[in-house]
């Protein structure tokens, strides 16, 4: 019996007994078999979450008590870090060491929110009247659907689960159907830590089957989603009827600007990492290189050489530097994207095809690819490939660099390299993206907000705002010396 759905404090099989095999992107072997929920299971999970929220079983806990719970989950995650990383590596095909870094980030996320929950969030407002006490208080938002992607499966879910718990929400988590194992492991720890029954629920299955109730049921107060733009738009449409609150992280097409006065060696090295880390399956990947014309040839030549040297390999290949793409359909999508780029005039300098290494024959390996001579009218510059594909554009002036960096519907992140700190600061300020790195690319910390401008999303995760997404704000006005308002005349019984 496969019972990997967690509903109302119990591990259950799907109501129709349905299961789903998870395949390794490295060699297509079956790495796990998990339950595949039905819509009836989703409705049961929503019912459990709603009942637990409305009962007050968790909302009655203080922030400090819920913080202690989240800190305990962090301890348990730390205890099981290697085992969870192995599951995540199996599901995603990423190297074990990378998966271990990711789970360490999950622990840090839980610790951040546990600490944040201890801060005083409520405040008094001076309304200018001695007899009035005015207080702003924060309350749990309600029942939330938490839907995650496959690229950083547990981390993206942790950014939602940890603040939801600290806030006192009840929730239904749905990881990507491609990478469910680490979410199952997390739910076991949430249970072990002593979370009240019905607060945390886990649903597994494809969005096309289990997604609809999660995003449209009237009992769900908010959907927090990380994934593709199209799915985000579907979720927004579903939110209209009940004016449901949303938190969306929808990816990006992130400019990485290198000025001629940059520390070129460091910039090149970071540009390679920014574009090809996790084979480009990173929402903040620096896949749009925007380089000053005078250094274009030098920078691109070096990046092409470095890209051609990147070693691909599976989870246990100790020489590997990055892994496969997540699925066959994603590999096909990336291949078509590159073909389209070449057809619209880009120059293919390296990669542009599947790995021909026999060791990769059964996996979804795509070579690191550089497309030169690109411009903002091109599909390959405007659309996200979510694969190892760097496009190159050139600029002459600072204003041109800024204009190029902002010529996108997305706004998640960007980078700027220059030794002129005033210029770098001007560019950082002018770029309309949620995170800007100056002379760096990629690092983040759970203490700092993360999220997008424009079509990269709505709201922020992490930082302090990342908790605020799961809280309602209430103003309580108390008149300590009641008197008549005197607005309307009292004319007696006339
Ligand atoms: O995402 P989907 P996919 C981008 C990236 C990628 C593209 C598509 O460009 O190529 O999105 O990836 C669930 N109702 N990012 O197809 O489909 C789904 O089951 C409710 C960016 O994998 O959006 C999964 O759990 N849920 C990104 C989650 O949504 C639905 C990370 C994401 O899947 C649903 C991943 C529905 N109707 C991809 N349809 C980032 N921002 O980091 C699907 N889902």
């Amino acid at each position: 019996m496969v019972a990997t759905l967690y509903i109302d404090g119990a591990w259950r099989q799907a109501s129709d007994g349905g299961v789903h095999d998870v395949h390794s992107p490295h060699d297509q072997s079956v790495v796990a078999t998990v339950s595949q929920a039905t819509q009836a299971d989703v409705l049961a999970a929503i019912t459990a979450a709603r009942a637990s929220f409305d009962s007050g079983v968790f909302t009655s806990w203080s922030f400090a008590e819920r913080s202690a719970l989240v800190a305990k989950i962090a301890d348990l995650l730390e205890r099981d870090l290697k085992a969870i990383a192995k599951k995540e590596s199996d599901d995603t095909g990423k190297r074990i060491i990378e998966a271990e870094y990711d789970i360490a980030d999950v622990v840090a996320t839980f610790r951040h929110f546990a600490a944040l929950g201890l801060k005083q969030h409520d405040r008094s407002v001076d309304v200018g009247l001695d007899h009035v006490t005015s207080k702003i208080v924060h309350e749990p938002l309600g029942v939330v659907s938490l839907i995650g992607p496959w690229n950083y499966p547990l981390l993206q879910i942790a950014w939602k689960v940890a603040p939801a718990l600290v806030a006192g929400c009840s929730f239904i988590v749905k990881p990507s159907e491609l990478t469910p194992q680490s979410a199952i492991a997390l739910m076991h720890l949430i249970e072990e830590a002593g979370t009240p029954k019905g607060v945390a629920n886990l649903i597994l299955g494809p969005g096309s089957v289990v997604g609809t109730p999660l995003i449209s049921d009237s009992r769900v107060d908010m959907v927090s989603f990380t994934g593709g733009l199209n799915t985000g738009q579907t979720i927004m449409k579903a939110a209209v009827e009940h004016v449901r609150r949303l938190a969306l992280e929808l990816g990006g097409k992130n400019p990485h600007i290198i000025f001629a006065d940059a520390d070129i060696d460091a910039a090149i090295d970071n540009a390679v990492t920014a574009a090809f880390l996790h084979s480009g399956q990173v929402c903040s990947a620096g896949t749009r290189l925007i380089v000053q014309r005078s250094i274009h040839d030098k920078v691109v030549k070096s990046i092409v050489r470095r890209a051609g040297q990147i070693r691909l390999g599976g989870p246990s290949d100790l020489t590997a530097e990055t892994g496969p793409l997540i699925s066959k359909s994603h590999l096909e999508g990336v291949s078509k994207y590159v073909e389209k780029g070449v057809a619209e005039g880009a120059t293919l300098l390296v990669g542009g095809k599947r790995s021909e290494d026999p060791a990769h024959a059964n996996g979804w390996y795509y070579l690191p690819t550089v497309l030169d001579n690109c411009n903002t009218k091109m599909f390959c510059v405007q659309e996200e490939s979510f694969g190892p594909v760097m496009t190159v554009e050139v600029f002459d002036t600072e204003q041109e660099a800024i204009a190029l960096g902002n010529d996108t519907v997305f706004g998640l992140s960007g980078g700027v390299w220059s030794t002129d700190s005033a210029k770098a600061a001007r560019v950082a300020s002018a770029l309309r993206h949620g995170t800007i790195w100056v002379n760096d690319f990629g690092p983040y910390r759970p203490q700092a907000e993360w999220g997008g401008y424009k079509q990269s999303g709505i709201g922020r995760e992490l930082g302090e705002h990342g908790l605020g997404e799961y809280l309602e704000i209430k103003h309580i006005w108390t008149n300590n010396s009641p008197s008549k308002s005197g607005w309307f005349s009292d004319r007696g019984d006339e």
Side-chain angles (χ1 to χ4, degrees):
M1 185 179 81
V2 179
T4 54
L5 308 180
Y6 188 65
I7 301 171
D8 204 14
W11 288 95
R12 301 190 193 178
Q13 54 178 334
S15 53
D16 65 355
V19 295
H20 162 71
D21 286 339
V22 181
H23 293 267
S24 161
H26 165 60
D27 60 7
Q28 299 180 54
S29 59
V30 174
V31 292
T33 300
V34 301
S35 310
Q36 177 149 309
T38 62
Q39 290 207 348
D41 296 322
V42 186
L43 293 175
I46 296 171
T47 300
R50 189 75 252 171
S52 74
F53 187 83
D54 293 342
S55 75
V57 65
F58 195 45
T59 55
S60 59
W61 290 27
S62 66
F63 271 98
E65 287 167 326
R66 293 194 297 257
S67 282
L69 176 79
V70 169
K72 186 162 181 199
I73 296 168
D75 292 342
L76 297 175
L77 282 161
E78 205 155 31
R79 181 194 71 192
D80 293 353
L81 188 147
K82 281 191 185 290
I84 299 173
K86 168 76 170 68
K87 290 177 194 294
E88 189 130 310
S89 168
D90 282 348
D91 285 2
T92 59
K94 70 173 70 167
R95 296 173 305 147
I96 293 217
I97 181 86
E98 271 185 61
E100 288 179 359
Y101 293 148
D102 294 348
I103 307 305
D105 282 359
V106 171
V107 174
T109 300
F110 275 79
R111 294 220 185 286
H112 161 66
F113 283 108
L116 194 58
L118 297 176
K119 279 177 75 168
Q120 178 56 260
H121 301 281
D122 298 345
R123 69 178 206 275
S124 297
V125 177
D126 181 357
V127 294
L129 298 169
D130 290 342
H131 61 286
V132 168
T133 314
S134 165
K135 270 192 85 178
I136 301 296
V137 298
H138 294 80
E139 299 178 346
L141 180 77
V143 170
V144 291
S145 291
L146 311 177
I147 303 174
W150 43 261
N151 56 339
Y152 289 92
L154 195 59
L155 188 59
Q156 300 290 349
I157 279 173
W159 290 11
K160 306 176 191 310
V161 167
L165 282 170
V166 168
C169 291
S170 291
F171 56 85
I172 307 100
V173 182
K174 195 203 86 63
S176 168
E177 58 276 26
L178 301 173
T179 55
Q181 288 200 77
S182 54
I184 297 170
L186 173 65
M187 294 306 279
H188 278 287
L189 302 186
I190 286 176
E191 180 182 39
E192 183 180 342
T195 309
K197 176 168 106 68
V199 167
N201 302 275
L202 176 69
I203 284 295
L204 304 174
S208 55
V209 178
V210 299
T212 305
L214 285 176
I215 64 175
S216 55
D217 192 291
S218 62
R219 295 168 296 168
V220 172
D221 298 300
M222 178 172 91
V223 178
S224 176
F225 167 79
T226 303
L229 177 57
N230 292 342
T231 314
Q233 288 167 329
T234 302
I235 291 171
M236 282 192 85
K237 284 181 194 146
V240 166
E241 193 183 351
H242 302 290
V243 196
R244 183 174 295 106
R245 210 182 293 182
L246 296 177
L248 304 175
E249 210 269 64
L250 307 177
K253 181 72 187 178
N254 310 292
H256 198 181
I257 298 170
I258 306 181
F259 281 93
D261 61 8
D263 175 339
I264 302 289
D265 288 345
I268 289 170
D269 187 65
N270 278 274
V272 171
T273 309
F276 302 121
L277 175 82
H278 194 15
S279 294
Q281 301 172 114
V282 182
C283 51
S284 54
T287 49
R288 266 187 83 191
L289 187 74
I290 301 177
V291 59
Q292 200 151 17
R293 194 179 305 275
S294 60
I295 56 165
H296 165 275
D297 292 358
K298 179 181 177 186
V299 168
V300 171
K301 190 174 167 204
S302 184
I303 289 176
V304 165
R305 177 180 59 76
R306 295 279 308 274
Q309 292 171 347
I310 292 174
R311 292 186 179 149
L312 305 182
S316 53
D317 180 346
L318 295 179
T319 66
E321 294 172 306
T322 190
L325 299 181
I326 190 71
S327 65
K328 182 166 186 258
S329 69
H330 189 41
L331 176 93
E332 288 168 352
V334 171
S335 302
K336 285 203 188 101
Y337 177 99
V338 172
E339 280 165 24
K340 198 164 172 181
V342 171
E344 61 187 347
T347 309
L348 175 66
L349 296 180
V350 66
K353 58 183 176 186
R354 285 180 77 160
S355 164
E356 286 162 356
D357 184 332
H360 303 156
N362 293 325
W364 314 127
Y365 287 92
Y366 196 85
L367 296 176
T369 298
V370 178
L371 295 174
D372 198 6
N373 297 317
C374 297
N375 64 64
T376 51
K377 295 203 170 41
M378 290 176 167
F379 172 88
C380 65
V381 170
Q382 290 300 336
E383 298 290 328
E384 191 180 32
S385 77
F386 224 61
V389 184
M390 176 193 281
T391 57
V392 184
E393 299 154 74
V394 290
F395 69 92
D396 292 303
T397 66
E398 180 181 328
Q399 285 317 314
E400 219 181 316
I402 292 167
L404 288 174
N406 284 335
D407 189 357
T408 164
V409 297
F410 292 109
L412 188 61
S413 69
V416 51
W417 289 81
S418 170
T419 49
D420 177 342
S421 54
K423 179 167 71 183
R426 282 194 303 273
V427 176
S429 157
L431 287 175
R432 294 187 44 75
H433 298 263
T435 296
I436 300 293
W437 292 285
V438 176
N439 296 327
D440 213 331
F441 203 102
Y444 81 98
R445 289 291 180 275
Q447 291 76 17
E449 275 75 6
W450 179 266
Y453 285 36
K454 303 196 270 182
Q455 292 184 29
S456 285
I458 296 178
R460 290 292 180 272
E461 300 198 282
L462 302 178
E464 297 202 7
H465 273 75
L467 176 59
E469 299 282 355
Y470 296 87
L471 294 168
E472 277 289 11
I473 300 172
K474 183 181 280 176
H475 176 203
I476 302 177
W477 171 294
T478 305
N479 190 332
N480 300 306
S481 177
S483 61
K484 289 183 173 178
S485 75
W487 187 270
F488 294 105
S489 314
D490 182 350
R491 297 198 176 83
D493 296 329
E494 68 179 6

